[in-house]
């Protein structure tokens, strides 16, 4: 439709012949002005009357005005970077949130949340000159660069909101301070196990299918600690008064897990889970899952988790003890294609450990969570969207006005071309920052908000020193 309208309406436009070599002369004149500015002894205001006649006074004056406008354009790419970045990243953030509206029996999909942008932007644009612009004038924001400063503040606040929300989604910190180590012991048996660590003066009872956590202040970088495990009489197929005397390792600023289980049908042992636990939350904020099984189940058995939305994850023996990134959702556990009577709802940024052990004639399944994230409703994104939409509307309208009114008549197209170029530079800035690969998405949001904050101060500076051609 646009192409047809453009073709049929082409004859309605007035086409003026362009000046010969206008493009090259404009760039040449700007270069001429810049070289004269850095030449000692030549006044900037005296450039129009220099002795060489390579460029006319009008060309020099127009180029000076265009150069002043283009200098302001250097602040635009950061804003466009924020705008382009939020289109995709805020959608990813929405994938970690609950979009269910029970009173409507409907769910908001992550990509649907972004559809409020064009609707609200259209609404704000319609009311810009009738409501928004007069309101800004009443509070003293009249100049175009003052409006751009305001839009920069709004964009900064929007990304601060998104960073705060991301921090809440990711949940508790898993940083271990220096000089401390953490020990986790998972009990796969259906009875109480009394754990005693003489060196640490700890005497603790681990509940059936339970877990024990120990924080230990280390003497050296890695300590070997004695542990004595005494089994309750109610334990299935465990000899009466059985006691396991062994050692565990605690490392500085590390977390190590052990699984109390059957190494085979006749041997009970405290099995170390991998080397060190990796509790680094992935950038996308998805949950992580690992599976611990006893020796009687067999290393060649097939274990998988299937969700109702089609996600399926298999855990071969070589990967079971390590955390694997999975998608959010409700999962059922399958062992050798048979569904076990256990289901789990996985929420964002949470580490799940599933223990699977045969105790007598039954198979016990237990789910443990650590460093839980939060499952917020997607409507918590509304504040950041509202602030960003307001910022975009004010910024887009004001930059067009500023370019049109401040650009010289003969160089309006030239100036508008540079205005559009700032969008491309903003996209390039997004690519550069993405290449840095910041692990925590919330810190990436804060980086963008910091850049926008610094850029806003620069725009505010230009709003003070820039002299409009109409004043």
């Amino acid at each position: 439709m646009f192409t047809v309208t453009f073709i049929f309406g082409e004859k309605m436009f007035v086409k003026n012949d362009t000046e010969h070599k206008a493009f090259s002369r404009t760039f040449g004149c700007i270069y001429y002005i810049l070289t004269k500015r850095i030449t000692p002894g030549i006044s900037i205001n005296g450039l129009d009357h220099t002795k060489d006649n390579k460029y006319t006074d009008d060309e020099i004056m127009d180029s000076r005005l265009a150069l002043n406008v283009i200098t302001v354009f250097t602040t635009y790419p950061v804003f466009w970077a924020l705008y382009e970045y939020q289109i995709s990243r805020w959608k990813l953030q929405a994938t970690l949130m609950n979009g269910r509206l029970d009173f409507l029996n409907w769910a908001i999909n992550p990509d649907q949340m972004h559809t409020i942008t064009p609707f609200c932007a259209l609404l704000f644009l319609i009311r810009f000159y009738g409501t928004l612009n007069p309101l800004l004038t009443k509070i003293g924001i009249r100049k175009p660069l003052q409006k751009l400063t305001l839009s920069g503040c709004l964009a900064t606040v929007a990304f601060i909101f998104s960073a705060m929300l991301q921090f809440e989604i990711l949940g508790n910190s898993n940083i271990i301070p220096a000089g401390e180590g953490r020990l986790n012991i998972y009990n796969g048996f259906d009875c109480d196990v009394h754990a005693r660590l003489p060196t640490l003066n700890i005497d603790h009872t681990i509940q059936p299918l339970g877990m024990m956590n120990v924080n230990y202040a280390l003497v050296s970088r890695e300590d070997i600690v004695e542990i004595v495990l005494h089994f309750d009489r109610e334990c299935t197929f465990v000899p009466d008064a059985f006691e396991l005397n062994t050692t565990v390792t605690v490392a500085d600023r590390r977390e190590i897990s052990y699984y109390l289980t059957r190494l085979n049908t006749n041997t009970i042992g405290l099995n170390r889970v991998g080397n060190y636990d990796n509790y680094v939350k992935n950038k996308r904020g998805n949950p992580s899952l690992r599976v611990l099984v006893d020796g009687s189940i067999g290393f060649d058995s097939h274990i998988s988790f299937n969700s109702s939305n089609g996600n399926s994850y298999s855990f071969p023996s070589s990967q079971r003890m390590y955390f694997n990134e999975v998608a959010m959702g409700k999962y059922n556990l399958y062992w050798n294609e048979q569904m076990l009577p256990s289901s789990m709802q996985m929420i964002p940024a949470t580490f799940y450990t599933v223990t699977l052990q045969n105790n007598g004639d039954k198979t016990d399944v237990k789910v443990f969570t650590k460093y839980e994230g939060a499952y917020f409703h997607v409507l918590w994104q509304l504040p950041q969207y509202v602030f960003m939409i307001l910022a975009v509307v004010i910024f887009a309208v004001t930059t067009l006005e500023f370019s049109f009114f401040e650009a010289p008549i003969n160089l309006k197209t030239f100036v508008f071309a540079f205005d559009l170029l700032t969008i491309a530079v903003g996209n390039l800035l997004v690519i550069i920052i993405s290449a840095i690969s910041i692990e925590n998405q919330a810190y990436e949001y804060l980086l963008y908000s910091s850049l926008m904050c610094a850029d806003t101060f620069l725009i505010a500076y230009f709003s003070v020193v820039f002299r409009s051609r109409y004043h």
Side-chain angles (χ1 to χ4, degrees):
M1 181 64 71
F2 172 78
T3 304
V4 173
T5 305
F6 184 81
I7 293 174
F8 282 98
E10 184 179 7
K11 295 181 180 180
M12 301 174 62
F13 290 96
V14 177
K15 299 179 182 179
N16 296 322
D17 294 333
T18 58
E19 184 182 345
H20 184 58
K21 297 182 179 179
F23 188 78
S24 60
R25 285 187 65 81
T26 301
F27 270 110
C29 190
I30 291 177
Y31 175 76
Y32 167 78
I33 293 173
L34 292 176
T35 55
K36 292 298 183 181
R37 280 185 174 180
I38 61 176
T39 302
I42 296 181
S43 172
I44 295 176
N45 294 326
L47 284 176
D48 299 340
H49 307 289
T50 50
K51 292 182 179 180
D52 58 65
N53 297 319
K54 187 174 182 180
Y55 300 102
T56 66
D57 289 350
D58 288 340
E59 286 179 324
I60 294 176
M61 178 60 71
D62 287 348
S63 297
R64 282 179 54 193
L65 293 174
L67 187 59
N68 290 337
V69 175
I70 293 172
T71 302
V72 177
F73 287 176
T74 57
T75 61
Y76 292 5
V78 174
F79 182 89
W80 291 124
L82 265 71
Y83 174 72
E84 299 294 339
Y85 177 83
Q86 57 89 25
I87 292 176
S88 60
R89 294 302 182 183
W90 287 1
K91 287 182 184 178
L92 291 178
Q93 187 182 62
T95 62
L96 305 176
M97 307 179 75
N98 178 20
R100 185 70 184 171
L101 298 174
D102 292 329
F103 66 96
L104 294 176
N105 194 26
W106 179 61
I108 304 174
N109 294 326
D111 55 343
Q112 291 175 336
M113 192 64 187
H114 191 73
T115 58
I116 67 172
T117 300
F119 288 109
C120 291
L122 181 60
L123 177 63
F124 291 151
L125 279 172
I126 293 173
R127 303 305 305 167
F128 184 82
Y129 290 104
T131 304
L132 189 56
N133 202 38
L135 179 62
L136 295 178
T137 303
K138 285 184 179 180
I139 62 177
I141 302 177
R142 297 180 177 87
K143 297 180 181 179
L145 293 182
Q146 290 176 332
K147 297 176 184 177
L148 295 184
T149 303
L150 174 62
S151 65
C153 293
L154 293 173
T156 301
V157 172
F159 268 75
I160 290 176
F161 269 123
S162 63
M164 293 171 58
L165 183 58
Q166 190 73 15
F167 276 122
E168 291 297 323
I169 291 173
L170 294 180
N172 300 327
S173 172
N174 51 13
I175 299 176
I176 303 176
E180 182 179 305
R182 293 178 184 172
L183 176 67
N184 305 314
I185 299 177
Y186 296 93
N187 178 18
F189 292 90
D190 57 350
C191 61
D192 289 338
V193 176
H194 305 281
R196 184 166 54 89
L197 289 82
T199 307
L200 307 183
N201 196 25
I202 292 177
D203 196 346
H204 182 82
T205 299
I206 310 176
Q207 299 296 322
L209 306 175
M211 177 185 177
M212 172 183 175
N213 304 103
V214 176
N215 290 346
Y216 175 62
L218 283 88
V219 178
S220 60
R221 188 166 185 176
E222 197 168 89
D223 292 348
I224 307 298
V225 180
E226 180 187 3
I227 183 171
V228 179
L229 299 167
H230 180 78
F231 288 75
D232 192 80
R233 292 182 178 180
E234 297 179 357
C235 289
T236 306
F237 294 109
V238 176
D240 290 342
F242 179 77
E243 193 173 81
L244 178 64
N245 198 330
T246 184
T247 59
V248 292
T249 302
V250 186
D252 184 34
R253 304 189 70 175
R254 296 280 193 171
E255 197 156 351
I256 301 176
S257 293
Y258 286 85
Y259 183 35
L260 181 60
T261 182
R262 290 185 177 87
L263 303 182
N264 52 55
T265 54
N266 299 317
T267 307
I268 297 175
L270 188 61
N271 192 25
R272 180 166 174 172
V273 181
N275 193 12
Y276 301 105
D277 289 348
N278 180 17
Y279 286 111
V280 177
K281 298 189 177 184
N282 62 77
K283 184 175 182 178
R284 289 178 291 272
N286 287 325
S288 298
L289 172 67
R290 68 179 175 185
V291 183
L292 307 181
V293 301
D294 72 350
S296 64
I297 289 179
F299 290 102
D300 57 346
S301 58
H302 183 262
I303 298 175
S304 64
F305 291 81
N306 300 332
S307 69
S308 57
N309 56 9
N311 293 321
S312 179
Y313 300 93
S314 297
F315 285 80
S317 58
S318 59
Q319 297 181 6
R320 290 173 188 169
M321 64 180 60
Y322 302 103
F323 283 109
N324 295 268
E325 180 182 350
V326 297
M328 292 190 313
K330 188 175 183 179
Y331 288 84
N332 292 313
L333 172 60
Y334 288 81
W335 174 31
N336 291 334
E337 309 302 329
Q338 180 181 359
M339 187 175 73
L340 298 179
S342 176
S343 63
M344 62 199 74
Q345 177 71 42
M346 297 191 186
I347 64 174
T350 303
F351 293 91
Y352 293 88
T353 299
V354 177
T355 59
L356 184 64
Q357 177 158 321
N358 288 326
N359 288 310
D361 57 353
K362 67 182 187 303
T363 301
D364 289 320
V365 179
K366 186 66 182 291
V367 181
F368 300 89
T369 61
K370 291 206 70 177
Y371 306 113
E372 293 87 350
Y375 197 38
F376 290 101
H377 200 278
V378 74
L379 292 181
W380 278 103
Q381 283 191 319
L382 278 178
Q384 64 201 51
Y385 271 109
V386 171
F387 276 95
M388 195 65 198
I389 293 168
L390 273 172
V392 170
V393 170
I394 296 173
F395 194 88
V397 174
T398 306
T399 52
L400 289 175
E401 287 185 347
F402 179 76
S403 301
F404 182 81
F405 287 111
E406 297 296 339
I409 295 176
N410 295 328
L411 296 179
K412 287 189 183 294
T413 304
F414 179 82
V415 171
F416 269 101
F418 270 90
D419 189 3
L420 295 175
L421 182 62
T422 61
I423 301 177
V425 177
N427 281 275
L428 180 61
L429 184 60
V430 173
I431 295 174
I432 294 173
I433 295 178
S434 298
I436 300 175
S437 187
I438 301 174
E439 290 296 330
N440 192 323
Q441 188 69 64
Y443 290 127
E444 197 165 272
Y445 292 146
L446 288 179
L447 174 61
Y448 276 95
S449 64
S450 301
L451 290 175
M452 191 67 246
C453 183
D455 191 62
T456 302
F457 278 108
L458 184 57
I459 298 174
Y461 168 76
F462 280 131
S463 70
V464 175
V465 301
F466 183 83
R467 289 185 296 178
S468 174
R469 58 183 296 202
Y470 297 103
H471 294 85

